[in-house]
Amino acid sequence: MAKRTEGVEMLTDEDLLTEVLSRLPVKYLLQCKAVSKPWYSLISSPNFIKSHYQRHAITINRAVDDNNEQAPTLIVRLFKGEDLDDHPEEDGSYSLYRLGATDNYIAKLNFPFSRGDYPFTPPSILVGCVCGIVCVCVDPSASIDANYFFPTADKATDIYIWNPTARQSKLIPSHALYNCDDKVALGFGFDPVDFDFKVVRVVSRTVFPEVYSAERDTWRNEVYSAERDTWRNIETKLIDIPYNCRFDICLHGFLFATGYSGMVAFNLNKEVFICDIKLPINCKGPRKCYDARIVDFKDSIAVMFSNDEELRSGKINLWILDDEACLRGGGVEASWTFMLNIDVGKQLGYLKGLFNNVEFLLIYGEWISYNYDRKVVRYIRTYPLFDYDDVFKYTESQQMLLVTGSKMVNWSDDKDVESSVDLEEMIQKVIMRKTMLI
């Protein structure tokens, strides 16, 4: 801050420029990086990126449908068809899909790796998506016609951290192979304290235990930091582990999943697990906690649950966590408040999640969207089809966050990606040639 003679503080030109630019949406910032070297340096600086993130952190996707409700954008993985010559769109690639008055695809993203990086397009899965950054697990050892893939520890899996808008990705360091009987759970999240993207992996020696034993079943737990570019072993034995192969959500600096006896949380900043967090359902009965799903309900940690009978009749229950004291250790027991009892009126297969404040995404042979404010059920019919499990909410407002060590992803036939992505790629290429910036 510059000082006037009368002692009144005055903003410098750089302060004013920072204040103005930090208010712009990402697609305009990408264009502003081409104005001059000082602008490029400013917008690319860690301090500016952090300032932009903090200013826009509370915003969400503002696209609205005809009823003026927030229409969420999803990142989805398309099914891989058997005949790509007749149906080239069924290639297992990734796309953005918007729910709203007219559900439709809005952008084709292709893959987090460049064309030619593998002898054929390997199968992959989504691990997570946060702040516009996506984590994808790829199996390069699979057969050329593999349609389905689950991240198991006996495979030489490649893990990418990917910014689809900037068309940049980072292949994180590989790991040693494990035993083929091991169960692996992966999670991806953002540490808002250190501004660091992290991947957590839990490896256990049991697949469907009736009673989980930390001494018998836990083998290895580790976390990868994009800033450090290293994996770190977490020595603490877990008293519970995620049941599914992925954590459910990342919220408030934590990863959350349902385990065998409660909720499992991972503190992304302190890099510690909080296990066996009591859920508002009976996890000791015939239906275990893995029937529940942790969701974000109006920026609160919540759990959705339906037993077999309720699923058949289309009923959903939802509770929210009263406070987050149980996540800070010290033996504080979790307390929950019952919020919703929803009757969809349609038989359900299983619960997927909550993709805005009022709309549930459910599955029974096909996608169902249920708006609990208006009590409306919509069938979501898509072509090409996308995988039920490979769906995450995609927030476009925070994509200035880049991952250190990322490289450009090149798919020469991209035609459907938004123009801001093409502009960013052009800027990056020109900067490398040092012929455009003044």
Side-chain angles (χ1 to χ4, degrees), residues 309-316 342-348:
E309 182 178 349
E310 289 170 330
L311 284 174
R312 286 193 293 270
S313 60
K315 292 182 172 61
I316 306 168
I342 298 168
D343 189 351
V344 178
K346 304 284 184 181
Q347 182 175 356
L348 302 174

Side-chain angles (χ1 to χ4, degrees), residues 256-405:
F256 296 97
T258 51
Y260 290 94
S261 58
M263 183 170 71
V264 177
F266 181 75
N267 186 318
L268 287 158
N269 181 250
K270 296 181 179 180
E271 297 184 351
V272 296
F273 285 96
I274 306 97
C275 297
D276 199 19
I277 301 171
K278 180 182 177 182
L279 286 173
I281 55 178
N282 180 15
C283 290
K284 306 301 181 183
R287 302 300 299 175
K288 308 295 183 181
C289 282
Y290 53 75
D291 291 309
R293 184 169 294 274
I294 310 301
V295 296
D296 173 3
F297 180 73
K298 299 184 178 181
D299 201 42
S300 294
I301 300 159
V303 58
M304 293 168 54
F305 177 77
S306 297
N307 59 33
D308 275 351
E309 182 178 349
E310 289 170 330
L311 284 174
R312 286 193 293 270
S313 60
K315 292 182 172 61
I316 306 168
N317 304 296
L318 184 141
W319 296 258
I320 61 169
L321 188 65
D322 291 335
D323 61 60
E324 299 182 6
C326 61
L327 304 177
R328 295 192 287 268
V332 177
E333 188 172 288
S335 61
W336 301 81
T337 296
F338 183 78
M339 290 294 294
L340 298 173
N341 178 261
I342 298 168
D343 189 351
V344 178
K346 304 284 184 181
Q347 182 175 356
L348 302 174
Y350 64 94
L351 311 176
K352 179 58 186 175
L354 186 66
F355 284 85
N356 62 12
N357 289 338
V358 299
E359 196 157 10
F360 290 84
L361 210 54
L362 314 165
I363 298 169
Y364 184 71
E366 58 186 327
W367 286 103
I368 299 173
S369 173
Y370 178 75
N371 184 300
Y372 75 82
D373 271 357
R374 293 186 286 121
K375 307 296 185 294
V376 173
V377 174
R378 291 190 301 111
Y379 287 94
I380 302 172
R381 307 184 190 279
T382 67
Y383 185 82
L385 300 176
F386 52 78
D387 190 283
Y388 289 155
D389 290 321
D390 276 0
V391 175
F392 282 89
K393 186 175 179 178
Y394 185 83
T395 304
E396 299 173 315
S397 61
Q398 301 167 6
Q399 292 170 339
M400 277 306 297
L401 295 171
L402 300 177
V403 179
T404 303

Side-chain angles (χ1 to χ4, degrees), residues 133-145:
I133 307 297
V134 185
C135 183
V136 176
C137 189
V138 176
D139 180 19
S141 66
S143 63
I144 192 169
D145 59 348

Side-chain angles (χ1 to χ4, degrees), residues 27-72:
K27 65 179 181 179
Y28 297 121
L29 282 175
L30 297 178
Q31 298 176 42
C32 289
K33 291 171 74 173
V35 171
S36 67
K37 281 185 178 179
W39 280 39
Y40 178 84
S41 298
L42 172 63
I43 296 170
S44 302
S45 68
N47 286 339
F48 180 87
I49 292 174
K50 186 172 184 178
S51 174
H52 185 269
Y53 169 81
Q54 290 171 337
R55 183 179 293 277
H56 295 273
I58 61 173
T59 65
I60 59 176
N61 196 319
R62 295 299 184 187
V64 295
D65 62 16
D66 291 342
N67 296 292
N68 202 35
E69 291 172 348
Q70 297 158 356

Side-chain angles (χ1 to χ4, degrees), residues 174-212:
S174 60
H175 251 104
L177 301 181
Y178 301 114
N179 187 286
C180 63
D181 293 328
D182 297 329
K183 171 183 168 57
V184 178
L186 295 171
F188 175 66
F190 176 64
D191 173 6
V193 178
D194 291 340
F195 264 63
D196 192 3
F197 290 94
K198 296 180 179 181
V199 179
V200 63
R201 174 157 48 190
V202 178
V203 182
S204 58
R205 287 175 169 165
T206 184
V207 179
F208 297 107
E210 289 299 322
V211 179
Y212 174 75

